[in-house]
Amino acid sequence: MTDAQEPGSGRAGQGRRGRLVMGMLGGVVVTALIVAATLGASLLTPSRAECDEPGGCREVEPRLDDHAYLRALSLDLRGVVPTVEELDALAGGKAPEAFVDEWLGLAPGAPPPTEFAERVVRRHGALLWPNIENVDQIFHFRRSLSRNSTTNIWDQSATDTRRSYRGAGVTCLDEPATFGADGRPLTREVDGAQREGWVEVNPYWDPSTTIKVCAFDAQTAPVSALGRDCASRAAIGDAACGCGPDLAWCPTFDVRRAVLGSFRGDVERRIAANILEDEPYHALLTSRRAFVNGALTHYWKHQRNSFDSVTLVPASIDVAALSGTNFRDSDWREIELPAEHAGVLTSPAFLLRFQTNRARAARFYDAFLCQPFQPPDTGIAPDDPVAAQQPDVQLRPGCNYCHAQLEPAAAHWGRWTQQGGAYLDPADFPEFQAECAACRLDSGTCPDRCRLHYVTRALTPAEEPYLGRLRAYEFLRPEHRAYIEEGPRGLVRDGLADGRFTDCATRRAAEWLVGRPLREDEEAWTRDLALRFSASDFRYRELVRAIVTSETYRRAL
Amino acid sequence: MTTTRTVQICALAALLALAFPGCADGPVPVALEGHDFEEERPVDVGAAPWRERRRMDIAQVDASLRRVTGGIGWDSGSTNQFVRFDDTLGVPDYINSTSEDRAVSLIFLKFLDDAARSVCRRVADREGGDAPLGTFAPVDVDAVDPASADVDAALASLLLRFHGRRVTAGSAALAPWRSLYTRAAAEVAATTMDPERPDLSPRRAWEAVCVALVDHPDFYTY
């Protein structure tokens, strides 16, 4: 039923009508048989189908009657069928459009349209794909706490971590720990390992409980004897560092899941807030608003620096300004992000779901400009050996079909780290760093800041001019250099300026509500919708109202 | 061609019953009916643009079931079964899938029927218990032989609640539903009535009507 339909000629309509009727009749037969099974008896004797009875079959009129129309409106705008009381009010003379205004929060005195906001959030899931539950590499695996199901003692169960504490990949002894004069846990040799006992801790994820934790893992020193920050990944493997006060630096499986799920919750609340506050729709992609709860606050304050292969460091928010320390605090607080942010396009959920700048740009182009990157129907000619040597994909035959446009678009995320979601402040990460250009030649090893964010290798002569430059500048044309500092806001601005964003937002909303791709002969309708959308200062609720009160919406086939 | 289509539909129904034997205690005898559907009649629906009539998404099914039943959903303990089976039901997780499958598939119909059976049993038992909400009003669900006018009124009320369809008493549109109720009630009446066996009480006929209302395309499409 969701397939694209051919332009609605009368003949095509006949077929559609016939399939619908047959589908409904088939449903009746199936229903009858299911009911028979429900009763556990051979209930049904031969009888006539519903539509054999004159008048027994509902007339399928292309233009919905008020009741069917209200039902469709209620399901699309609120996600649930109307109440009997609402249907009675309709029969009493209340116009369907009056319900629309109530449910969209457009009627005077109407309550906030929370149900509609929830539907819009759900709809935008299909545009933003905000699930990052599989991106747990923002936590270092060696910091992961788990409970031994036999002894109920918690420790960092990675073999290497256990080995760094005890000289072997074993956990601690099931006995209370003792400590030396220097405060370090005392150990005794058991089976060749130096094993300590446990201590009792009230963990940050549930301070009301007391758990047993291996004493090495429960160490609270902020800095090790070697001068390492025990809350950072640099201290992993340092036996003088543990999980910190209340185990704050170490996640559990449930903690990881809560944090990653909360990043999704942040995006969903940004979308809902855009609707509930009746803001311009494009503010969703340019706003500095974000939301944090207890889990996210704890992550930013205590766990962001112990990342594995995916990092949100340097943090793109003012961590010191975050208030609250209760991990389990489920209340969401609105915060204002620094100026470089661009709404959901720089949210951790988006950046971690799409971990390359090309993927970020491609998702934006598809979802918000209706311009998916895809090869031509005729295909792309295979590279010849000479062309394959071209390192610049904007020029390489075949690749350039998409990348001539994709590379400049991706540059808008040039200051946001790939394989992560950190922000590279120009003050700390200038376009060019001599040490990053020289480190390869000098020693063969480059510091992390060079290795991760700057061009430090040149496989071809064409790449050599970019050594020491921020990765985003590699092969970037002079006319595109400004994109890096503009950030994704620049893409939104350009889309608004030439109308692509407005047209696409209109098209996406219309296709959502009419349940099919729009046809070429509906261009006049969508153009009118886009003009009204623009005239309303891009109020999404007004756009949806215009769509669901149209004759197109009310004609359901 | 008519015969072929009838056989196809019956085969579909039989497959549905046979494909999920775990849903009942042992084989369930099902008497297949023959139906003669007339050929498709050409109807001119014009060339004007339209909205695609489509299946509810799973969240809509879940919320709507709770609404029409007065708060009873497809739950097992504290677990919402629509959430538990969301992957199977085509709800996107945005990692492996990015759009919801809204096809009226056999899988969807199977799970919808599971939901209907679960929900409608509890609705019927609630209405026959100490705190009824009047879902089947004006009928007392445990009445052995309710007045036909009351049955019609109850069916009209149910059609409005479940399908958003307003019909008047005596309307021909009530005929198939009245027939379903009458036959289900007769089947229940033919069994031994045992006060200790509420599973055999007259309310089971109303439970059957409830299941049929949920399984009907007028419930899950819009």
Side-chain angles (χ1 to χ4, degrees), chain A residues 1-2 5-6 8-10 13-14 16-18 20 22 24-26 28-31 33-35 37-39 41 43-45 47 49-50 52 54-58 62 64 67 71-72 75-76 78-84 87-88 91 119 122 125-126 129-131 133-134 264 353 512-516 519 522 552-553 555-557, chain B residues 5 9 12-13 16 28-38 40 42-60 63-64 67-68 91 93-95 98 100 102 104 113 117 160-166 172-173 175-177 180 183-184 187-188 204 207-208 211-212 215-222:
Chain A
M1 298 181 75
T2 57
Q5 301 297 324
E6 294 299 318
S9 66
Q14 292 162 16
R16 295 174 44 74
R17 167 83 176 256
L20 178 62
M22 286 309 300
M24 295 179 75
L25 290 175
V28 171
V29 174
V30 172
T31 297
L33 290 168
I34 289 169
V35 170
T38 302
L39 296 173
L43 169 66
L44 299 178
T45 53
S47 70
E50 181 180 21
D52 289 346
C57 197
R58 186 178 200 169
L64 297 178
H67 280 66
R71 194 169 192 269
L75 282 162
D76 273 333
R78 302 189 302 177
V80 67
V81 294
T83 65
V84 172
L87 291 164
D88 286 343
R119 293 301 295 174
R122 187 180 177 86
W129 309 351
N131 187 352
E133 66 183 17
N134 58 345
R264 175 177 181 166
R353 179 64 181 80
W512 164 41
L513 292 163
V514 301
R516 60 175 172 80
R519 305 174 309 178
E522 292 174 294
T552 297
Y553 182 86
R555 267 176 58 84
L557 300 179
Chain B
R5 185 170 295 113
I9 292 171
L12 176 73
L16 190 64
V28 176
V30 175
L32 299 182
E33 295 185 353
H35 293 274
D36 290 326
F37 296 116
E38 59 187 69
E40 298 174 15
V43 177
D44 183 8
V45 296
W50 71 94
R51 178 177 66 82
E52 186 84 0
R53 187 176 176 90
R54 57 193 186 275
R55 201 207 80 193
M56 290 180 185
D57 63 37
I58 294 303
Q60 289 170 328
S64 296
R67 171 153 290 175
V68 299
V91 177
D93 63 5
Y94 304 119
I95 293 176
T98 56
E100 183 154 354
R102 293 172 75 165
V104 185
D113 185 60
R117 293 179 193 221
L160 182 65
R161 180 188 297 271
F162 282 73
H163 296 172
R165 182 182 185 188
R166 190 177 294 276
W177 300 98
L180 172 63
R183 292 156 64 195
E187 182 67 24
V188 171
R204 299 282 82 87
E207 177 185 329
V211 170
D215 284 345
H216 196 286
D218 276 357
F219 177 74
Y220 61 76
T221 66
Y222 66 100

Side-chain angles (χ1 to χ4, degrees), chain A residues 371-407:
Chain A
Q371 290 181 280
F373 289 97
Q374 54 193 29
D377 294 338
T378 53
I380 293 175
D383 278 357
D384 62 65
V386 175
Q389 300 295 316
Q390 171 58 259
D392 183 353
V393 289
Q394 297 171 96
L395 300 176
R396 187 187 302 167
C399 300
N400 60 354
Y401 184 84
C402 291
H403 285 271
Q405 189 172 18
L406 183 56
E407 299 303 296

